[in-house]
Amino acid sequence: DAKTTQPNSMESNEEEPVHLPCNHSTISGTDYIHWYRQLPSQGPEYVIHGLTSNVNNRMASLAIAEDRKSSTLILHRATLRDAAVYYCISMYSGGGADGLTFGKGTHLIIQP
Amino acid sequence: DTGVSQNPRHKITKRGQNVTFRCDPISEHNRLYWYRQTLGQGPEFLTYFQNEAQLEKSRLLSDRFSAERPKGSFSTLEIQRTEQGDSAMYLCASSLAAGGWDEQFFGPGTRLTVL
């Protein structure tokens, strides 16, 4: 699994878009990019994942660079509830079970 | 609520005592994972079950740690002869294997404090 690098913390205002960057320069061709987040006093929760194409779901969008060495999680309109630690995980998802390898993540602070 | 549940939510014990935590996964999920999280760090993978079989163990899982999932449903994690370094949040997650990537659903965790 490729190592990922994220900023320790970011701050944004409520109702504004948030772009959370992640570098994964050693990613292999079969590694997916997963994002999980952990709200205060809770276990992590899945946000989104992708391989090559940009992905959208009800929670967020994932923009993946053409060379796949970096990606950006986009929260289109942040709310106070989005304040959490966001983890970018690069790993192979070929059908076997995988223990997720979390780093320290990015602590997202949302200002009202 | 049909999410992953963990009991107890908090456990305080003295060094040298044994502790056991329980995880009840989402009912149809066949995969179950244990993680440990210390303050300021992301969760660290400990072990994983597919049904009742323990298929993977991290080198973080010392001989004092043992996990079981006897009937492929709930799981227990036991720590023998606890040490202060075992103080952490212990997280359980479950997923449904569907031939490809599967989303892991996490429980709220059990916070262990070893005095």
Side-chain angles (χ1 to χ4, degrees):
Chain A
D1 296 340
K3 179 180 170 60
T4 61
T5 305
Q6 299 177 253
N8 289 333
S9 65
M10 290 184 65
E11 199 167 313
S12 183
N13 295 319
E14 197 176 10
E15 298 186 2
E16 289 186 356
V18 179
H19 291 234
L20 296 165
C22 180
N23 286 322
H24 28 80
S25 58
T26 60
I27 194 169
S28 74
T30 53
D31 286 351
Y32 283 72
I33 299 140
H34 303 253
W35 285 81
Y36 278 73
R37 73 179 185 180
Q38 188 169 21
L39 302 171
S41 302
Q42 295 188 26
E45 64 176 354
Y46 166 78
V47 178
I48 200 166
H49 80 290
L51 183 61
T52 54
S53 305
N54 294 344
V55 184
N56 300 295
N57 66 20
R58 62 175 180 81
M59 289 181 71
S61 296
L62 177 60
I64 302 171
E66 196 169 335
D67 64 5
R68 296 205 338 116
K69 293 185 177 182
S70 65
S71 60
T72 301
L73 178 70
I74 302 166
L75 306 179
H76 294 286
R77 195 163 168 267
T79 68
L80 294 177
R81 196 197 172 277
D82 292 320
V85 179
Y86 286 78
Y87 298 99
C88 170
I89 302 165
S90 172
M91 59 183 282
Y92 173 69
S93 295
D98 297 292
L100 297 169
T101 303
F102 293 84
K104 290 189 176 182
T106 296
H107 184 201
L108 177 63
I109 300 164
I110 304 294
Q111 298 289 356
Chain B
D1 184 19
T2 57
V4 178
S5 63
Q6 294 187 246
N7 288 288
R9 294 292 308 276
H10 303 272
K11 178 71 177 178
I12 300 174
T13 191
K14 293 182 179 179
R15 189 176 53 189
Q17 299 293 305
N18 299 343
V19 294
T20 300
F21 310 139
R22 177 178 169 125
C23 171
D24 287 271
I26 294 172
S27 60
E28 67 270 24
H29 284 185
N30 53 358
R31 291 179 175 166
L32 188 147
Y33 307 78
W34 284 100
Y35 293 83
R36 180 177 70 186
Q37 184 173 27
T38 54
L39 201 61
Q41 305 295 317
E44 298 170 295
F45 169 74
L46 292 177
T47 189
Y48 142 75
F49 290 84
Q50 172 125 352
N51 299 313
E52 66 275 8
Q54 188 173 16
L55 297 186
E56 189 178 346
K57 287 196 285 188
S58 160
R59 60 176 179 267
L60 292 174
L61 208 68
S62 77
D63 291 345
R64 297 184 297 106
F65 288 68
S66 63
E68 293 183 344
R69 195 183 183 198
K71 296 181 180 179
S73 56
F74 74 91
S75 176
T76 58
L77 178 68
E78 181 183 17
I79 309 174
Q80 296 183 326
R81 305 181 303 282
T82 52
E83 303 173 356
Q84 288 185 325
D86 297 330
S87 295
M89 177 74 83
Y90 290 84
L91 293 160
C92 174
S94 70
S95 68
L96 177 64
W101 166 83
D102 44 291
E103 175 185 345
Q104 294 185 25
F105 293 80
F106 284 80
T110 294
R111 181 168 295 283
L112 173 66
T113 302
V114 181
L115 302 176

